[in-house]
Amino acid sequence: MAAAAAAASTSRLLLLRHHHDAAADGSNRQKQQQQQLRYSSKPSSLALLGLRLSPPAGALLPDRVTPFSYEEDGESDDHPREECGLVGVVGDPDAASLCYLGLQKLQHRGEEGAGIVAVGGDGKLKSVTGLGLVADVFGDPARLASLPGPAAIGHVRYSTAGAAASLRNVQPFLAGYRFGQVAVAHNGNLVNYQALRNKLEARGSIFNTSSDTEVILHLIATSLSRPLLSRICDACERLAGAYSLLFLTADKMFAVRDPHGFRPLVLGRRRNGAVAFASETCALDLIEATYEREVEPGEVVVVDRRDMSVSSACLVPHRPRRSCVFEHIYFALPNSVVFSHAVHERRTAFGRALAEESPAPGADVVIPVPDSGFYAALGFARASGLEFQQGLIRWHYSGRSFIQPTQAIRDLAVKLKLAPVHGVIRGKSVVVVDDSLVRGTTSSKIVRLLRDAGAREVHMRIASPPVVGSCLYGIDTPSEGELISNRMDLEGVRREIGSDSLAFLSLGKLHSIYGAEAEGYCDACFSRNYPVLPTLPEPVVELEE
């Protein structure tokens, strides 16, 4: 996550911690930090002290970072965005091709850029990265063919709305240091990034990016521990926040998960003995790797490609598990197993609990907001004894509606993206089930769309609690001032989106679904109970040379 976002996260948590309002005088710095919440970039240029760099050819750093915002024209689907997806394969001669396929399956976790680093037969690491979808980046067969070898790691990154796209933003990062080459792919966000960077810069490190991944590489390069496993553990012991990491060297692959287990990372094995890692099991399924287990929170799994031995080390002493509950609510594909639970079963349970807690008496039909609301709506319909229908059809090829010249044309473009099935809607009292409600813009458009299609009543049901806090751990969410449930009470939100009724799954009911496991999930976006607070950077005194 970008330094600006980290600074903004620090500001938000300070406001929560001290419960004070900024006065007009002396509040400029806080306002600037809060404004920086709207910024995010993750450049991959690695101008590191002690590291030889291997940036993509022709890559240019953006000269500025533009504000983050969900497009106000209806382009956004009004959901938070996962930052990244990871895939790694070791022990297969087609490792890069398998990574390519796995990244295709994880495309929903990142659409801005994709990259693969592979180990060749000569033991040297080679990188191919590019902007766009996985199929676009590797559309030329020669690019994938240039990555032969028995081990590879891959990465997809989500576009930060409004941020300038650059090849330097695309991972995996490949660098060299005095003991050889190392590549890294990272999913997460470090909440002590700025404090670590300040200390490293004070000791002479030169930074060329605002990427928190660059800090990790600095810490590894400057560690006095031996061997590389000890360097990685030494570096990660100094990190705070969310990180799932894949490292690749000439002879080993390392899979690392932060001690709280915020972001998912799983391990599987192919029939030929090859070991695979991925952010979700759906990627393992595609490459015919059998899911074995999670990489445990605080664990480092090491695979030596020379003899395919697999070993495990404890990264840090045990800390309370805090896996991201939004992976089950929205981010992960329904055919994945995440945090040892089948995602589609979790979502069906959310919908069933929502129906028990907030039924819609007199309704005729239940429809989902496609695509992520499907299983929650199915659970709601089953528990309510109501008919389940696909009343909205999502068109996936509508392009970017903000380029249209007038608001009237943009409104028509929104209808192209979501189209009602009139025979399901007309004259009916409709229950619409969505997985979450963030800003409310999409929900209000859906309500109008259904009314225009002839719905007699529209009852909105949300299969998660109200989102009132921004994420600090690797998810793009709007600032708290943009979160509709943070600005309005339930009735205010209902009036704003225009539905006849509105209900959210309560936080207590969500916890009851998980039972004793509930304490092992991060729900800060619903509760503002942040398990890891940002570390305040020490003041930096700049001296003129």
Side-chain angles (χ1 to χ4, degrees):
M1 199 76 168
S9 297
T10 301
S11 176
R12 293 199 309 275
L13 263 293
L14 285 175
L15 291 172
L16 289 173
R17 183 185 287 166
H18 297 297
H19 302 285
H20 71 275
D21 295 325
D25 295 325
S27 66
N28 289 339
R29 182 182 178 188
Q30 287 182 343
K31 290 180 179 178
Q32 289 171 356
Q33 288 178 318
Q34 290 171 334
Q35 180 66 22
Q36 285 175 331
L37 171 62
R38 303 170 64 86
Y39 291 70
S40 177
S41 67
K42 199 159 187 155
S44 63
S45 140
L46 305 174
L48 308 180
L49 185 64
L51 294 179
R52 299 188 302 277
L53 309 181
S54 302
L60 296 174
L61 278 175
D63 57 0
R64 65 189 180 93
V65 180
T66 51
F68 166 84
S69 68
Y70 285 78
E71 294 91 326
E72 296 179 358
D73 54 0
E75 167 63 16
S76 169
D77 66 357
D78 197 27
H79 287 97
R81 290 170 174 156
E82 174 63 79
E83 279 283 359
C84 305
L86 311 177
V87 178
V89 176
V90 57
D92 194 293
D94 296 318
S97 295
L98 293 172
C99 279
Y100 164 76
L101 292 172
L103 291 177
Q104 289 258 35
K105 199 64 176 179
L106 296 179
Q107 190 71 86
H108 62 287
R109 298 183 77 91
E111 296 183 1
E112 181 189 57
I116 295 174
V117 173
V119 178
D122 57 1
K124 292 185 178 179
L125 276 61
K126 186 173 182 180
S127 171
V128 173
T129 60
L131 295 173
L133 303 178
V134 177
D136 297 330
V137 174
F138 295 96
D140 182 353
R143 303 201 80 188
L144 205 55
S146 70
L147 297 171
I153 60 174
H155 186 274
V156 287
R157 178 184 185 273
Y158 215 111
S159 171
T160 300
S166 168
L167 277 174
R168 289 186 181 269
N169 292 1
V170 183
Q171 295 185 39
F173 297 168
L174 173 60
Y177 72 130
R178 56 180 172 159
F179 296 106
Q181 291 178 293
V182 60
V184 60
H186 174 207
N187 177 25
N189 182 53
L190 306 180
V191 298
N192 64 339
Y193 158 75
Q194 194 61 56
L196 290 173
R197 174 169 173 156
N198 287 357
K199 290 179 180 178
L200 287 163
E201 286 179 327
R203 296 171 184 171
S205 293
I206 299 172
F207 281 77
N208 191 40
T209 78
S210 58
S211 169
D212 52 2
T213 307
E214 188 175 357
V215 164
I216 299 171
L217 288 171
H218 269 286
L219 294 173
I220 290 172
T222 57
S223 172
L224 300 178
S225 299
R226 301 289 186 277
L228 180 58
L229 173 60
S230 296
R231 285 174 172 264
I232 291 173
C233 291
D234 183 45
C236 290
E237 285 178 358
R238 301 176 63 185
L239 305 179
Y243 54 90
S244 287
L245 302 164
L246 291 178
F247 294 95
L248 182 64
T249 67
D251 53 21
K252 291 184 177 69
M253 185 178 293
F254 303 82
V256 184
R257 196 160 166 223
D258 72 76
H260 292 286
F262 284 107
R263 307 259 68 84
L265 191 60
V266 295
L267 181 154
R269 197 180 298 267
R270 285 171 51 81
R271 285 192 294 270
N272 63 359
V275 176
F277 299 95
S279 295
E280 295 182 34
T281 60
C282 62
L284 299 182
D285 295 339
L286 181 64
I287 64 174
E288 298 182 336
T290 302
Y291 167 61
E292 292 188 353
R293 66 178 182 88
E294 289 185 276
V295 175
E296 293 297 327
E299 182 184 17
V300 184
V301 178
V302 186
V303 183
D304 191 324
R305 73 176 183 87
R306 294 168 296 188
D307 60 8
M308 290 306 297
S309 60
V310 180
S311 59
S312 175
C314 180
L315 188 65
V316 294
H318 174 73
R319 294 178 186 171
R321 183 177 181 131
R322 292 292 184 268
S323 299
C324 175
V325 72
F326 238 102
E327 292 283 352
H328 287 160
I329 291 170
Y330 171 69
F331 294 129
L333 287 185
N335 58 322
S336 284
V337 174
V338 173
F339 309 137
S340 301
H341 288 285
V343 174
H344 79 281
E345 291 179 356
R346 292 284 92 177
R347 291 179 185 168
T348 303
F350 299 154
R352 187 166 55 246
L354 180 61
E356 294 169 358
E357 194 172 51
S358 301
D364 301 310
V365 64
V366 177
I367 68 170
V369 175
D371 295 308
S372 54
F374 181 90
Y375 282 99
L378 185 61
F380 189 100
R382 287 175 175 173
S384 303
L386 296 173
E387 180 184 10
F388 173 82
Q389 288 278 3
Q390 194 77 21
L392 290 169
I393 305 300
R394 181 179 292 276
W395 182 251
H396 294 276
Y397 313 102
S398 58
R400 296 176 65 83
S401 60
F402 72 86
I403 66 174
Q404 305 299 334
T406 67
Q407 184 60 49
I409 298 298
R410 285 196 292 270
D411 289 342
L412 292 178
V414 172
K415 292 184 178 181
L416 176 61
K417 177 173 283 190
L418 272 179
V421 180
H422 290 265
V424 172
I425 303 302
R426 188 180 298 114
K428 304 283 185 65
S429 176
V430 181
V431 179
V432 188
V433 179
D434 203 355
D435 55 84
S436 59
L437 193 154
V438 181
R439 289 195 315 157
T441 52
T442 297
S443 297
S444 62
K445 290 179 173 64
I446 288 173
V447 171
R448 291 199 302 271
L449 195 67
L450 294 174
R451 293 198 190 283
D452 290 345
R456 188 177 79 253
E457 294 176 339
V458 179
H459 302 278
M460 186 67 69
R461 295 294 182 268
I462 308 300
S464 62
V467 177
V468 295
S470 296
C471 180
L472 306 183
Y473 311 118
I475 305 301
D476 273 343
T477 49
S479 66
E480 292 189 357
E482 295 176 282
L483 300 173
I484 190 169
S485 293
N486 195 47
R487 296 185 289 108
M488 303 178 183
D489 61 13
L490 181 65
E491 176 59 18
V493 176
R494 186 201 64 78
R495 288 197 302 267
E496 183 73 12
I497 67 174
S499 60
D500 292 284
S501 71
L502 169 67
F504 293 83
L505 183 67
S506 70
L507 186 58
K509 194 71 169 178
L510 178 67
H511 288 169
S512 72
I513 294 170
Y514 287 93
E517 295 181 20
E519 292 185 356
Y521 285 86
C522 176
D523 59 14
C525 52
F526 307 132
S527 66
R528 294 198 186 94
N529 180 23
Y530 293 92
V532 182
L533 297 177
T535 301
L536 288 175
E538 297 178 2
V540 177
V541 179
E542 297 184 0
L543 301 177
E544 294 184 4
E545 295 186 358

